[in-house]
Amino acid sequence: MTIITPKRFWFIFPFAAMLALLSWTVYSLNKEVSWQVVDEVSDQLSLSLRTELRNEREDALRFALILSENDTLRNALKEDDDEAGFALLKRMIQSVQQNTSELVRAQVITADSTLFARSWDADNLFSGMPLDTYRRDLEEIILHKKPRASIEVGRRLGIKATVPMYEEGELIGFVEVLKFFDASTDFFHKFGIDLYALLDDSYYNTAVLMQNNPSVAWYLVGNRRYNNVNLKVLQRLDMKQLRKERVMLRENKYIFFEPMHNGDGETIGAFVFVMPKQSIEHFARSGENLSFLLAFSRNNLYDIVKKEQYDNKVYHSGYDKALLSLKDTVPEEDRELFMEEARDVLSTYTKEELIALMLHYKLARKIEGEIR
């Protein structure tokens, strides 16, 4: 049996104290590095969400602009022929969905904010239904006479791209394309991250088609594709604390909070990410670049911002951009008509502008490939 004499104790004590201090320092540094990684992931998720939502808004607006310029649809609206308008709208949307991976819903609204036709109905029984109670955003569009693409609350929460249609200066109606965060949800799911679009329940009476949706604290779940297991985690969570801290670790999952804003900048809900703890620990241990997590880096995001600025200079109008971007998705039976319209559009561009368009198209294709 070893006896520690007072002399030996005072000899060992400094080393024991140093060892304890070193252990505490290593623990603190590991903890600090861990939260540094979490903060970086939080920033990356925020940037990625903004990019995905922008993509969804652009896609919706592109389709809405094309639909708004269709003469047959415009004539049906002017003549109040809702059956013809419904048949044409349904056929066009079906063609888009058959030839692309896009799940698109579109509707036409009259100038007095009543439903004219919508693509997802089996028939057109809801034609004439008033929408003014749910669609205050239409007043803003009428006021500024410009298209609008943003997150809005109607009968459901979603991205709405609305384009006003005018005939000789007179408003005849609106074309609207709706998306419900499916693309963004699927995008993050590929990386093992669950996204929840949550609507503040103060909009309960407006969002009548969401009243039976699951709830999380004072929020209604807005997107349709979600993980039920992680939903239960959120329902056990203190949402006030999450909203304040923005990041929390609960039940071996990191939970990230991002405010949701509508087109007027008002906070109407939140986006919440749920990510397994081991996924973040993997990056902390391996030292891999966090951009690998979502398959593109901050440099790509910078390129996207520059591309967005470049777009505004290259095209003469939003319609030109929308039309030309559809060149690879036009059905065979409509290609001759598309080519005729494209020739008319391109004839208004100078040689230098056409070269810029060609370069822009290659750049856009390159960036899109890297993101998806």
Side-chain angles (χ1 to χ4, degrees):
M1 179 176 179
T2 302
I3 298 175
I4 300 178
T5 64
K7 185 177 180 180
R8 179 174 293 181
F9 171 79
W10 289 111
F11 179 77
I12 295 175
F13 177 77
F15 291 96
M18 288 178 61
L19 182 62
L21 179 62
L22 181 61
S23 299
W24 180 84
T25 302
V26 170
Y27 169 78
S28 299
L29 286 174
N30 284 339
K31 185 176 181 181
E32 181 181 343
V33 169
S34 174
W35 280 104
Q36 180 184 354
V37 171
V38 171
D39 286 342
E40 290 178 4
V41 171
S42 179
D43 290 343
Q44 190 74 17
L45 289 174
S46 179
L47 288 167
S48 303
L49 176 64
R50 286 163 51 193
T51 301
E52 283 303 301
L53 293 177
R54 181 184 62 79
N55 288 341
E56 290 211 61
R57 288 195 303 269
E58 283 191 354
D59 285 345
L61 182 58
R62 183 179 301 115
F63 285 120
L65 285 165
I66 294 298
L67 290 172
S68 71
E69 294 294 330
N70 184 279
D71 288 336
T72 307
L73 187 60
R74 294 173 69 91
N75 289 334
L77 181 59
K78 286 188 295 182
E79 296 169 7
D80 197 26
D81 189 349
D82 58 283
E83 290 300 324
F86 171 72
L88 176 63
L89 184 64
K90 199 170 185 68
R91 186 170 66 251
M92 293 176 72
I93 294 302
Q94 285 176 344
S95 178
V96 169
Q97 293 178 177
Q98 287 170 1
N99 290 277
T100 72
S101 59
E102 293 284 342
L103 178 61
V104 180
R105 288 187 171 187
Q107 63 185 15
V108 179
I109 303 170
T110 66
D112 61 355
S113 300
T114 61
L115 181 65
F116 179 72
R118 61 187 185 191
S119 65
W120 63 91
D121 288 337
D123 46 40
N124 207 29
L125 291 178
F126 293 97
S127 179
M129 179 176 64
L131 299 177
D132 53 331
T133 303
Y134 311 103
R135 299 303 310 278
R136 299 299 182 189
D137 56 302
L138 294 178
E139 298 175 4
E140 190 77 12
I141 295 170
I142 294 173
L143 177 64
H144 296 289
K145 297 184 178 181
K146 291 182 178 179
R148 175 176 171 131
S150 57
I151 298 173
E152 301 293 345
V153 183
R155 290 157 62 86
R156 283 184 60 182
L157 172 70
I159 293 172
K160 297 180 176 69
T162 309
V163 178
M165 294 189 292
Y166 290 89
E167 190 73 25
E168 297 180 355
E170 180 182 353
L171 179 70
I172 61 173
F174 309 87
V175 170
E176 187 165 69
V177 171
L178 303 91
K179 305 188 76 174
F180 300 107
F181 310 111
D182 293 334
S184 296
T185 303
D186 290 344
F187 172 80
F188 286 104
H189 184 71
K190 293 175 183 177
F191 303 97
I193 304 168
D194 286 318
L195 172 66
Y196 296 83
L198 305 179
L199 174 67
D200 193 295
D201 64 7
S202 61
Y203 295 93
Y204 181 87
N205 292 330
T206 301
V208 294
L209 297 182
M210 293 176 55
Q211 292 177 352
N212 293 324
N213 286 16
S215 61
V216 175
W218 58 88
Y219 295 111
L220 298 172
V221 178
N223 50 332
R224 295 170 292 185
R225 303 174 186 175
Y226 53 82
N227 183 317
N228 263 310
V229 174
N230 286 334
L231 177 63
K232 299 297 182 184
V233 174
L234 295 181
Q235 290 172 335
R236 292 189 289 267
L237 198 66
D238 184 343
M239 291 300 291
K240 288 184 179 179
Q241 184 181 357
L242 177 62
R243 185 173 61 181
K244 179 182 178 180
E245 298 183 8
R246 298 298 176 93
V247 182
M248 292 176 65
L249 175 60
R250 290 293 185 275
E251 303 182 34
N252 286 320
K253 300 174 190 293
Y254 279 100
I255 302 163
F256 302 85
F257 181 96
E258 185 77 18
M260 177 192 294
H261 302 101
N262 65 9
D264 296 320
E266 301 167 337
T267 302
I268 60 172
F271 291 102
V272 173
F273 299 94
V274 181
M275 186 175 179
K277 180 183 177 184
Q278 58 266 31
S279 296
I280 292 183
E281 289 178 343
H282 165 73
F283 290 101
R285 288 193 304 269
S286 66
E288 290 180 357
N289 192 314
L290 287 174
S291 63
F292 178 75
L293 172 68
L294 299 178
F296 60 95
S297 66
R298 294 176 191 271
N299 287 334
N300 296 125
L301 291 172
Y302 174 77
D303 289 342
I304 291 169
V305 172
K306 296 299 290 183
K307 170 185 173 292
E308 197 171 47
Q309 296 171 349
Y310 186 61
D311 283 349
N312 296 332
K313 298 177 181 179
V314 171
Y315 294 95
H316 289 179
S317 69
Y319 173 71
D320 292 3
K321 177 183 176 183
L323 177 71
L324 297 176
S325 68
L326 291 179
K327 78 179 194 65
D328 294 324
T329 61
V330 177
E332 190 63 33
E333 61 271 20
D334 298 331
R335 185 159 294 277
E336 184 176 348
L337 182 62
F338 171 83
M339 294 301 294
E340 182 179 344
E341 178 70 8
R343 279 192 292 270
D344 290 341
V345 167
L346 293 173
S347 66
T348 65
Y349 286 76
T350 65
K351 177 182 177 181
E352 290 73 22
E353 288 173 331
L354 289 174
I355 293 172
L357 281 173
M358 292 172 63
L359 293 174
H360 163 266
Y361 181 70
K362 291 178 182 178
L363 174 64
R365 288 291 297 272
K366 180 181 179 182
I367 291 177
E368 183 178 346
E370 290 175 351
I371 294 173
R372 296 180 182 177

